[in-house]
Amino acid sequence: MKTIGMLGGMSWESTTSYYQLINAGIKAQLGGLHSAKIFMHSVDFHEFEQLMRHNDWDTTARKLAAAAKCVETAGADFLIICTNTMHKVAPQIEEAISIPVLHIADATAQRLVGDGIERVGLLGTRFTMSHNFYKGRIAQRYGIEVLVPDPHSQTIIDDIIFKELCLGRINPDSRRKYLDVIRQLQQDGARAVILGCTEIGLLVQPDDTAVPLYDTTQIHAAGAVEMALG
């Protein structure tokens, strides 16, 4: 079994889900008392949230690259970045280390391709929805059209992520707002919706809507299990 390197803490709420999903996946594959071999570097999310708000992606990249080097030095065989938004600096992290990075957008897009999804909606932080590092990668590498909510809806989605979900708050009214946005994306032609923030799966579940939901936390964790055992 390979050792998984994790950059976590962004937020720790979703990192907890990663840890549980990965270990459950290893146990399901190997049985008995088996669990995952993991080295994790968990950061103080407040620091990185402030860097994002000031668009200081250079400092963000340097700090996460340094953390990734620590994980590599500890003995990890590959790395997962346990957040969608911070994949904006994935290229700088990849340049700083010699172990491979399992990119969350690739894992998600490969699942979409396998399911024959050619047009998909994307929910996430404002950075993930509005910047091109994520939706552009899916479109250019996998030929999938990516739809995002209108600017007003993006503000609603982003506020709920940072003011509620990252703090562990689950609000039924916020779930209704998310479902309204999902319905609009479906009306716009999306055949599925990516839950492109690792906290969204804490709020919205597949049974909440008729359109298929692709939870990036679950998909990324499953990919890590496959890579560890492969």
PDB file of all heavy atoms in Angstrom, residues 204-222:
ATOM      1  N   VAL A 204     -25.729  19.455   1.028  1.00  0.00           N
ATOM      2  CA  VAL A 204     -26.611  18.958  -0.031  1.00  0.00           C
ATOM      3  C   VAL A 204     -26.284  17.497  -0.319  1.00  0.00           C
ATOM      4  O   VAL A 204     -25.113  17.141  -0.511  1.00  0.00           O
ATOM      5  CB  VAL A 204     -26.459  19.799  -1.315  1.00  0.00           C
ATOM      6  CG1 VAL A 204     -27.366  19.263  -2.409  1.00  0.00           C
ATOM      7  CG2 VAL A 204     -26.759  21.270  -1.035  1.00  0.00           C
ATOM      8  N   GLN A 205     -27.315  16.658  -0.365  1.00  0.00           N
ATOM      9  CA  GLN A 205     -27.151  15.233  -0.602  1.00  0.00           C
ATOM     10  C   GLN A 205     -27.832  14.840  -1.914  1.00  0.00           C
ATOM     11  O   GLN A 205     -28.736  15.536  -2.391  1.00  0.00           O
ATOM     12  CB  GLN A 205     -27.768  14.435   0.554  1.00  0.00           C
ATOM     13  CG  GLN A 205     -27.202  14.776   1.919  1.00  0.00           C
ATOM     14  CD  GLN A 205     -25.742  14.415   2.058  1.00  0.00           C
ATOM     15  OE1 GLN A 205     -25.303  13.397   1.535  1.00  0.00           O
ATOM     16  NE2 GLN A 205     -24.972  15.255   2.745  1.00  0.00           N
ATOM     17  N   PRO A 206     -27.429  13.722  -2.517  1.00  0.00           N
ATOM     18  CA  PRO A 206     -28.037  13.295  -3.785  1.00  0.00           C
ATOM     19  C   PRO A 206     -29.555  13.156  -3.733  1.00  0.00           C
ATOM     20  O   PRO A 206     -30.236  13.425  -4.728  1.00  0.00           O
ATOM     21  CB  PRO A 206     -27.366  11.945  -4.053  1.00  0.00           C
ATOM     22  CG  PRO A 206     -26.043  12.045  -3.367  1.00  0.00           C
ATOM     23  CD  PRO A 206     -26.300  12.853  -2.127  1.00  0.00           C
ATOM     24  N   ASP A 207     -30.086  12.753  -2.587  1.00  0.00           N
ATOM     25  CA  ASP A 207     -31.538  12.578  -2.468  1.00  0.00           C
ATOM     26  C   ASP A 207     -32.287  13.905  -2.457  1.00  0.00           C
ATOM     27  O   ASP A 207     -33.520  13.919  -2.565  1.00  0.00           O
ATOM     28  CB  ASP A 207     -31.880  11.798  -1.193  1.00  0.00           C
ATOM     29  CG  ASP A 207     -31.436  10.344  -1.273  1.00  0.00           C
ATOM     30  OD1 ASP A 207     -31.186   9.864  -2.395  1.00  0.00           O
ATOM     31  OD2 ASP A 207     -31.339   9.695  -0.218  1.00  0.00           O
ATOM     32  N   ASP A 208     -31.564  15.020  -2.339  1.00  0.00           N
ATOM     33  CA  ASP A 208     -32.212  16.333  -2.263  1.00  0.00           C
ATOM     34  C   ASP A 208     -32.668  16.852  -3.626  1.00  0.00           C
ATOM     35  O   ASP A 208     -33.451  17.803  -3.693  1.00  0.00           O
ATOM     36  CB  ASP A 208     -31.261  17.368  -1.633  1.00  0.00           C
ATOM     37  CG  ASP A 208     -30.960  17.069  -0.173  1.00  0.00           C
ATOM     38  OD1 ASP A 208     -31.826  16.498   0.493  1.00  0.00           O
ATOM     39  OD2 ASP A 208     -29.853  17.423   0.282  1.00  0.00           O
ATOM     40  N   THR A 209     -32.175  16.253  -4.704  1.00  0.00           N
ATOM     41  CA  THR A 209     -32.465  16.794  -6.026  1.00  0.00           C
ATOM     42  C   THR A 209     -32.484  15.686  -7.068  1.00  0.00           C
ATOM     43  O   THR A 209     -31.845  14.636  -6.889  1.00  0.00           O
ATOM     44  CB  THR A 209     -31.408  17.852  -6.415  1.00  0.00           C
ATOM     45  OG1 THR A 209     -31.674  18.334  -7.721  1.00  0.00           O
ATOM     46  CG2 THR A 209     -30.014  17.286  -6.358  1.00  0.00           C
ATOM     47  N   ALA A 210     -33.207  15.932  -8.161  1.00  0.00           N
ATOM     48  CA  ALA A 210     -33.310  14.931  -9.221  1.00  0.00           C
ATOM     49  C   ALA A 210     -32.063  14.914 -10.108  1.00  0.00           C
ATOM     50  O   ALA A 210     -31.756  13.889 -10.720  1.00  0.00           O
ATOM     51  CB  ALA A 210     -34.547  15.206 -10.077  1.00  0.00           C
ATOM     52  N   VAL A 211     -31.357  16.019 -10.195  1.00  0.00           N
ATOM     53  CA  VAL A 211     -30.163  16.070 -11.042  1.00  0.00           C
ATOM     54  C   VAL A 211     -29.001  15.388 -10.315  1.00  0.00           C
ATOM     55  O   VAL A 211     -28.838  15.547  -9.106  1.00  0.00           O
ATOM     56  CB  VAL A 211     -29.808  17.543 -11.390  1.00  0.00           C
ATOM     57  CG1 VAL A 211     -29.397  18.319 -10.155  1.00  0.00           C
ATOM     58  CG2 VAL A 211     -28.714  17.602 -12.440  1.00  0.00           C
ATOM     59  N   PRO A 212     -28.215  14.579 -11.020  1.00  0.00           N
ATOM     60  CA  PRO A 212     -27.085  13.901 -10.367  1.00  0.00           C
ATOM     61  C   PRO A 212     -26.073  14.902  -9.792  1.00  0.00           C
ATOM     62  O   PRO A 212     -25.751  15.901 -10.429  1.00  0.00           O
ATOM     63  CB  PRO A 212     -26.461  13.079 -11.502  1.00  0.00           C
ATOM     64  CG  PRO A 212     -27.552  12.913 -12.511  1.00  0.00           C
ATOM     65  CD  PRO A 212     -28.361  14.170 -12.429  1.00  0.00           C
ATOM     66  N   LEU A 213     -25.607  14.617  -8.583  1.00  0.00           N
ATOM     67  CA  LEU A 213     -24.610  15.454  -7.924  1.00  0.00           C
ATOM     68  C   LEU A 213     -23.280  14.701  -7.855  1.00  0.00           C
ATOM     69  O   LEU A 213     -23.258  13.519  -7.495  1.00  0.00           O
ATOM     70  CB  LEU A 213     -25.064  15.821  -6.509  1.00  0.00           C
ATOM     71  CG  LEU A 213     -26.397  16.562  -6.380  1.00  0.00           C
ATOM     72  CD1 LEU A 213     -26.704  16.832  -4.908  1.00  0.00           C
ATOM     73  CD2 LEU A 213     -26.387  17.866  -7.170  1.00  0.00           C
ATOM     74  N   TYR A 214     -22.209  15.393  -8.162  1.00  0.00           N
ATOM     75  CA  TYR A 214     -20.874  14.813  -8.097  1.00  0.00           C
ATOM     76  C   TYR A 214     -20.118  15.481  -6.955  1.00  0.00           C
ATOM     77  O   TYR A 214     -19.652  16.619  -7.083  1.00  0.00           O
ATOM     78  CB  TYR A 214     -20.145  14.982  -9.435  1.00  0.00           C
ATOM     79  CG  TYR A 214     -20.660  14.028 -10.497  1.00  0.00           C
ATOM     80  CD1 TYR A 214     -21.910  14.228 -11.083  1.00  0.00           C
ATOM     81  CD2 TYR A 214     -19.918  12.916 -10.874  1.00  0.00           C
ATOM     82  CE1 TYR A 214     -22.395  13.344 -12.039  1.00  0.00           C
ATOM     83  CE2 TYR A 214     -20.391  12.026 -11.828  1.00  0.00           C
ATOM     84  CZ  TYR A 214     -21.636  12.242 -12.403  1.00  0.00           C
ATOM     85  OH  TYR A 214     -22.116  11.367 -13.344  1.00  0.00           O
ATOM     86  N   ASP A 215     -20.034  14.776  -5.839  1.00  0.00           N
ATOM     87  CA  ASP A 215     -19.388  15.291  -4.630  1.00  0.00           C
ATOM     88  C   ASP A 215     -17.882  15.114  -4.780  1.00  0.00           C
ATOM     89  O   ASP A 215     -17.367  13.984  -4.755  1.00  0.00           O
ATOM     90  CB  ASP A 215     -19.912  14.538  -3.409  1.00  0.00           C
ATOM     91  CG  ASP A 215     -19.401  15.100  -2.093  1.00  0.00           C
ATOM     92  OD1 ASP A 215     -18.290  15.666  -2.076  1.00  0.00           O
ATOM     93  OD2 ASP A 215     -20.098  14.954  -1.077  1.00  0.00           O
ATOM     94  N   THR A 216     -17.166  16.211  -4.928  1.00  0.00           N
ATOM     95  CA  THR A 216     -15.730  16.119  -5.193  1.00  0.00           C
ATOM     96  C   THR A 216     -14.948  15.523  -4.032  1.00  0.00           C
ATOM     97  O   THR A 216     -13.916  14.887  -4.245  1.00  0.00           O
ATOM     98  CB  THR A 216     -15.154  17.505  -5.535  1.00  0.00           C
ATOM     99  OG1 THR A 216     -15.488  18.440  -4.510  1.00  0.00           O
ATOM    100  CG2 THR A 216     -15.697  18.005  -6.859  1.00  0.00           C
ATOM    101  N   THR A 217     -15.421  15.699  -2.806  1.00  0.00           N
ATOM    102  CA  THR A 217     -14.736  15.091  -1.667  1.00  0.00           C
ATOM    103  C   THR A 217     -14.765  13.574  -1.785  1.00  0.00           C
ATOM    104  O   THR A 217     -13.732  12.904  -1.640  1.00  0.00           O
ATOM    105  CB  THR A 217     -15.398  15.526  -0.342  1.00  0.00           C
ATOM    106  OG1 THR A 217     -15.411  16.945  -0.257  1.00  0.00           O
ATOM    107  CG2 THR A 217     -14.645  14.961   0.848  1.00  0.00           C
ATOM    108  N   GLN A 218     -15.940  13.027  -2.056  1.00  0.00           N
ATOM    109  CA  GLN A 218     -16.067  11.579  -2.194  1.00  0.00           C
ATOM    110  C   GLN A 218     -15.271  11.046  -3.375  1.00  0.00           C
ATOM    111  O   GLN A 218     -14.583  10.018  -3.278  1.00  0.00           O
ATOM    112  CB  GLN A 218     -17.537  11.204  -2.334  1.00  0.00           C
ATOM    113  CG  GLN A 218     -18.369  11.501  -1.098  1.00  0.00           C
ATOM    114  CD  GLN A 218     -19.824  11.094  -1.266  1.00  0.00           C
ATOM    115  OE1 GLN A 218     -20.207  10.535  -2.288  1.00  0.00           O
ATOM    116  NE2 GLN A 218     -20.642  11.394  -0.275  1.00  0.00           N
ATOM    117  N   ILE A 219     -15.338  11.760  -4.496  1.00  0.00           N
ATOM    118  CA  ILE A 219     -14.631  11.314  -5.698  1.00  0.00           C
ATOM    119  C   ILE A 219     -13.118  11.376  -5.495  1.00  0.00           C
ATOM    120  O   ILE A 219     -12.382  10.444  -5.860  1.00  0.00           O
ATOM    121  CB  ILE A 219     -15.051  12.178  -6.899  1.00  0.00           C
ATOM    122  CG1 ILE A 219     -16.525  11.918  -7.245  1.00  0.00           C
ATOM    123  CG2 ILE A 219     -14.160  11.898  -8.114  1.00  0.00           C
ATOM    124  CD1 ILE A 219     -17.105  12.896  -8.241  1.00  0.00           C
ATOM    125  N   HIS A 220     -12.631  12.456  -4.914  1.00  0.00           N
ATOM    126  CA  HIS A 220     -11.195  12.633  -4.683  1.00  0.00           C
ATOM    127  C   HIS A 220     -10.677  11.582  -3.704  1.00  0.00           C
ATOM    128  O   HIS A 220      -9.606  10.987  -3.914  1.00  0.00           O
ATOM    129  CB  HIS A 220     -10.951  14.043  -4.141  1.00  0.00           C
ATOM    130  CG  HIS A 220      -9.574  14.568  -4.395  1.00  0.00           C
ATOM    131  ND1 HIS A 220      -9.043  15.614  -3.672  1.00  0.00           N
ATOM    132  CD2 HIS A 220      -8.613  14.211  -5.284  1.00  0.00           C
ATOM    133  CE1 HIS A 220      -7.840  15.874  -4.113  1.00  0.00           C
ATOM    134  NE2 HIS A 220      -7.538  15.045  -5.082  1.00  0.00           N
ATOM    135  N   ALA A 221     -11.436  11.342  -2.639  1.00  0.00           N
ATOM    136  CA  ALA A 221     -11.038  10.344  -1.648  1.00  0.00           C
ATOM    137  C   ALA A 221     -10.996   8.951  -2.274  1.00  0.00           C
ATOM    138  O   ALA A 221     -10.068   8.167  -2.018  1.00  0.00           O
ATOM    139  CB  ALA A 221     -11.993  10.371  -0.460  1.00  0.00           C
ATOM    140  N   ALA A 222     -11.988   8.639  -3.100  1.00  0.00           N
ATOM    141  CA  ALA A 222     -12.004   7.337  -3.775  1.00  0.00           C
ATOM    142  C   ALA A 222     -10.811   7.201  -4.706  1.00  0.00           C
ATOM    143  O   ALA A 222     -10.195   6.127  -4.810  1.00  0.00           O
ATOM    144  CB  ALA A 222     -13.309   7.162  -4.542  1.00  0.00           C
TER     145      ALA A 222
END
